[in-house]
Amino acid sequence: MEQSELAAWREGWVKRLNEELSEAIKKPMADEPPEVGQLLSAMNYTLESGGKRLRALLVLAAAEAVGGQEQWALPGALAVEMIHAYSLIHDDLPALDNDDLRRGRPTCHLVYGEALAILAGDALQALAFETLASALLGDLAEPTSRVSQALLILAKAIGPLGMVGGQAMDLAFEGARPELTQIITMESKKTGFLMGSCLALGATLGGADQKTISAFESSGRLAGLAFQISDDQLNVTGDAQLMGKNVGTDAQKAKASVTTLISQEQASEQVSLYIKRAMSGLRPFNSPKLEWLIGSIFGRSS
Amino acid sequence: MEQSELAAWREGWVKRLNEELSEAIKKPMADEPPEVGQLLSAMNYTLESGGKRLRALLVLAAAEAVGGQEQWALPGALAVEMIHAYSLIHDDLPALDNDDLRRGRPTCHLVYGEALAILAGDALQALAFETLASALLGDLAEPTSRVSQALLILAKAIGPLGMVGGQAMDLAFEGARPELTQIITMESKKTGFLMGSCLALGATLGGADQKTISAFESSGRLAGLAFQISDDQLNVTGDAQLMGKNVGTDAQKAKASVTTLISQEQASEQVSLYIKRAMSGLRPFNSPKLEWLIGSIFGRSS
């Protein structure tokens, strides 16, 4: 596939994803009391602020890479964006990172208050599982088997041994001096596990066998690790305007990050290495879309 | 069944449930970094502090009432207790109810800090879905179909239109003067939806048809509403020692509660009415356990 075809594929799906996410939140508003409407608004505030929808695109591309239809994996793609939005809202809370800028806008708790921001994150997590479970009602082949497997994959990835465990490590490492291997474990959990589940969800909904699903999960975790290390780099060298969030915050908060232990050059080498390892696991499936998405992690500026 | 048989049935299951919940949290500790262990401790702190396990028992009894085995519904029973514990942890946070006493102990955020309490709630929600999804691997008949349906029921019940929506209404009503119907809607969402899902989950995992599942869900919601109104009453008249939590807090925080609009006597009549309605929907299934559990909501002192 040409670069322009890939870009057009992405643009088409991002538009569709944004519409579907908006619909998922706004559709129930009409029938609900205004107080619930306010909760839905708080959820939508972070969800609609976009980002690149990288996680959702990975789900869709993975489904196609294993011979399924992208469409089959759409509920999974929406679910991971909801999970990602929930994790951002809770991560930004005063008790956690206390960030005031996200995707170029004031963070959710600044606009809706801390209490509603906590509830909005909670509700986005539940809505993610509901959305994925709703794939039961779509045109998926073997829906109950694939959906139940996909739900198990997602729940494991974002639970105490996965994403939230990574957040807890991040919290515990503030002001501490963890070793590089500890930071890598933390970053793998914090970012790698969700990205691993993106590829595994796509493969599952696309009809892959267990061995393929595991291979996709491993590659996704490595890609997520590369993504998180490049995030650490951008927190030091990035352009706040371009990224829509504050920079230099890790150093201010004495947060553990690979850049406190290795140079920017070494970090770039690590990113490149993890991307290569992620790609090599996917090579047999010959997916230009997956390779392009994962390749885009290297050298990103936002 | 005799009263003593019912009590023995409950005692046996509460012991088993407590062991299984403890195992779910403690088993992974050995293989995880200590920072994740700390998160698991925070989760366990509220989960192990017990309560009556009413929600879990409703799941088990519902499975048997529709002709299934209680054992089939165990993952659902554990999941609802995890959801309940998560909702208590987040509800007690300074930004929400700011409570310092729960089940006779300092609240989770007082012991583990606000940040870890937020993460513990988040992780318990994910673990609940993982636990329910793990019923796939048990001895359930038609596992993928029943489990995927059960996951959809739980996710809907605790999402923005259900439990978390009720919390958002509760928050918005602080210091406001909602009407009785608005308070009833709030309490139905906040407490009724999860209890409705308990009966629906049990029925689903027990192998019931769609019509039965819906009937169970309706009865559970009514029972949950009765439970919440009696909770409002206990916040005024209850014994803090016996309940293990502070009383008089609704009035202090100017929270909306049925007791601000109707007398204690009228509230008791409402509790009795909702219990009767809940029971009448279940009568055809002739389940002494379900009737006993729901009946216990009336006149409870803790």
Side-chain angles (χ1 to χ4, degrees), chain A residues 70-92:
Chain A
E70 289 172 350
Q71 179 68 27
W72 293 349
L74 180 57
L78 300 173
V80 297
E81 288 296 323
M82 290 171 184
I83 293 294
H84 184 48
Y86 125 63
S87 77
L88 296 179
I89 293 173
H90 280 193
D91 203 27
D92 288 338

Side-chain angles (χ1 to χ4, degrees), chain A residues 32 90 122 125-126 151 189, chain B residues 32 90 122 125-126 151 189:
Chain A
E32 289 291 321
H90 280 193
D122 290 346
Q125 180 171 181
L151 285 160
K189 284 179 183 288
Chain B
E32 289 291 322
H90 280 194
D122 290 346
Q125 180 172 180
L151 285 160
K189 285 178 182 288

Side-chain angles (χ1 to χ4, degrees), chain B residues 36-79:
Chain B
V36 176
Q38 188 69 0
L39 171 69
L40 291 162
S41 292
M43 294 162 71
N44 191 51
Y45 178 76
T46 300
L47 199 57
E48 74 169 7
S49 67
K52 296 172 292 293
R53 307 292 185 209
L54 173 62
R55 289 161 188 78
L57 294 168
L58 286 170
V59 176
L60 300 169
E64 195 193 53
V66 301
Q69 294 178 24
E70 290 172 350
Q71 179 69 25
W72 293 348
L74 180 57
L78 300 173

